[in-house]
Amino acid sequence: MQTHEPQGRISLDPGKAEEGLSQIVLTVIELLRQLVEKQAMRRVEGGDLTEEQIEQLGTALMKLEEKMEEMKEMFNLDDEDLNIDLGPLGNLL
């Protein structure tokens, strides 16, 4: 977790641009990961996948989540850091 910025806020300090950029990039990746996961669950619930396809999908989603955790750790971010505050629209995630 970043200690220099409030959670859910992007650092606008020019000296910390890399940290802010990594936060934005990981937020977009996490948003897409969650959308892919929801779509996968719809396909599983729709019953149009074989058992083998369901197993492959589950494995792929687990690996994607593990990689996301590694990247958050690498950039010293946590889930709250990726839940960007969009002002009147609320939090992103």
Side-chain angles (χ1 to χ4, degrees), residues 32-47:
L32 291 173
R33 186 194 71 76
Q34 288 181 17
L35 291 172
V36 166
E37 189 174 283
K38 287 179 183 180
Q39 181 63 31
M41 291 308 299
R42 282 191 207 111
R43 290 192 66 199
V44 169
E45 291 168 358

Side-chain angles (χ1 to χ4, degrees), residues 12 19 22 33 36 38 48 68 70 73-74 76 82:
L12 299 178
E19 292 174 14
S22 64
R33 186 194 71 76
V36 166
K38 287 179 183 180
D48 62 339
M68 188 64 190
E70 288 175 24
E73 187 174 316
M74 183 185 321
N76 197 29
L82 303 185

